[in-house]
Amino acid sequence: MDTSDDGPTLDRQWIELETNVCGVLHGCRDASAVAARFTGAGWRSRSSSWHGYELETSWCRLEIDPIDGPDVPLNGVVAPARLDDLGRLLSFFGLPYELELSDENNTLVREIRG
């Protein structure tokens, strides 16, 4: 289990925000390996279910929880201006991804892939 309390917590301005990012990590069945990459980059990580993790830094909080199959879904809160930073981090980790950013009305604002 790859958990760490060493990273920053989500900034207050994002705490009350509803889920605004969702997506999938392609070809990655092991959420523990994903959590290890995030903790290696200085993020906080905690177990949130038998196989799922909550990953957190000052500008983002994600829940990853694997399902049957080759992909790991994710959802959570990201500072809207930092969506590309999240995409770059996933690319740096070598994780193919699709992300969708929604506004406060749950309207799709942006999609990115890598």
Side-chain angles (χ1 to χ4, degrees), residues 21 78-88 99 101 110 112:
V21 66
V78 64
R82 304 289 304 260
L83 182 67
D84 289 328
D85 293 334
L86 178 58
R88 279 190 286 277
L99 298 175
L101 179 69
R110 278 188 71 205
I112 62 171

Side-chain angles (χ1 to χ4, degrees), residues 38 41 43 59 84-95:
F38 277 87
W43 288 47
W59 51 271
D84 289 328
D85 293 334
L86 178 58
R88 279 190 286 277
L89 188 61
L90 293 170
S91 293
F92 176 75
F93 294 156
L95 299 171

Side-chain angles (χ1 to χ4, degrees), residues 42-55:
W43 288 47
R44 297 170 67 90
S45 173
R46 71 174 188 84
S47 177
S48 61
S49 69
W50 283 101
H51 301 287
Y53 292 86
E54 184 178 86
L55 309 168

Side-chain angles (χ1 to χ4, degrees), residues 4 15 23 29 40 52 61 67 84 98 100 106:
S4 171
I15 289 175
R29 301 177 135 211
R61 180 187 292 150
I67 55 174
D84 289 328
E98 293 179 38
E100 296 180 350
N106 207 27

